[in-house]
Amino acid sequence: MPSSHYRELKKNAQSLRKHLLPAKFNPMGDYRERVFTGVVAFRVLCHAAIEEYFEVRAIEIAKSALSQCRTTGKVSLPAIALMGFSGREHGLPPHTIDPPEPSKKKAWPSEIEIKQRLNDCTCSFVQRISRDNHGVRERNILSMLIPIGIDPVDIDRLFLSEIDNFGMSRGDYAHKAPSIHTAKRPDPKDELSKIQKLLNLIDPVDKKLDSLLALTKAK
């Protein structure tokens, strides 16, 4: 069964389709100017919904992995991945169990406690996704999925290609005047088909994310 986040994503896409695209498509592409404006808005807002979906799911799994470690002492695959792909430097254990000087007392848990190191890595990940992620290009997707334990072997290359193209074209839409894009007369039927195809490709990713989340709930 799809996650509640995925169901909400599809619901949002359906709502945007209802409000921004024509109820019936014209096979000749003969539409009023406002329809093309709606197509541009549809793509940009669908991009925002998909971006939010991946951010929310990644953060959910990261926080759950940290919570599991804190409460049960178990370290799940997502927890291992968070530490392995944190970008933080993890040195060898210190030479003393207590801080050698008062100025190091506050930061000492990060030097000597594995749970604190996981906490630091998780906080950095959540902050990076919440504040610094701006898109769904391939690099954005990998930076969200791999650090929570998705095996690169399990990432469909067609999905990556499609979402990277989608992210690239959205960037083009969002950073140029709408009149430039509406002049190209983008086809609303084609735009809807692209979003539907992308949502179908996200479905198996959603199932993998659910499997990872389940690992962080095991007692």
Side-chain angles (χ1 to χ4, degrees), residues 165-196:
N165 289 335
F166 173 68
M168 180 170 58
S169 60
R170 174 268 174 191
D172 185 49
Y173 271 36
H175 297 117
K176 292 182 180 178
S179 59
I180 295 177
H181 300 291
T182 56
K184 298 177 183 177
R185 302 176 66 84
D187 187 272
K189 184 178 180 180
D190 288 346
E191 200 64 39
L192 178 62
S193 295
K194 290 175 183 177
I195 295 300
Q196 290 174 333

Side-chain angles (χ1 to χ4, degrees), residues 39-191:
V39 175
V40 173
F42 178 73
R43 170 173 283 265
V44 172
L45 293 176
C46 280
H47 178 283
I50 292 172
E51 181 178 344
E52 181 185 37
Y53 163 81
F54 280 107
E55 291 174 352
V56 168
R57 295 239 61 189
I59 290 173
E60 174 190 33
I61 292 170
K63 288 184 175 181
S64 184
L66 175 61
S67 177
Q68 180 193 46
C69 182
R70 281 174 168 170
T71 57
T72 70
K74 290 187 176 181
V75 179
S76 62
L77 173 59
I80 295 172
L82 282 165
M83 294 190 70
F85 292 99
S86 68
R88 300 176 67 91
E89 182 178 350
H90 292 140
L92 294 171
H95 297 302
T96 60
I97 196 168
D98 296 314
E101 52 190 74
S103 62
K104 293 186 176 182
K105 184 176 181 179
K106 185 177 181 179
W108 200 245
S110 296
E111 297 289 333
I112 203 165
E113 297 176 12
I114 189 65
K115 289 183 181 180
Q116 183 59 43
R117 286 194 173 188
L118 176 58
N119 179 82
D120 295 343
C121 293
T122 303
C123 289
S124 293
F125 176 76
V126 170
Q127 183 180 62
R128 177 169 58 80
I129 298 304
S130 300
R131 298 182 182 180
D132 301 330
N133 183 68
H134 302 292
V136 293
R137 298 293 305 272
E138 181 176 353
R139 62 179 179 272
N140 302 113
I141 295 298
L142 294 182
S143 72
M144 287 188 277
L145 297 187
I146 291 180
I148 55 170
I150 290 284
D151 191 327
V153 175
D154 293 332
I155 301 177
D156 182 16
R157 270 43 178 185
L158 176 60
F159 158 70
L160 273 185
S161 175
E162 290 290 333
I163 201 164
D164 188 65
N165 289 335
F166 173 68
M168 180 170 58
S169 60
R170 174 268 174 191
D172 185 49
Y173 271 36
H175 297 117
K176 292 182 180 178
S179 59
I180 295 177
H181 300 291
T182 56
K184 298 177 183 177
R185 302 176 66 84
D187 187 272
K189 184 178 180 180
D190 288 346
E191 200 64 39

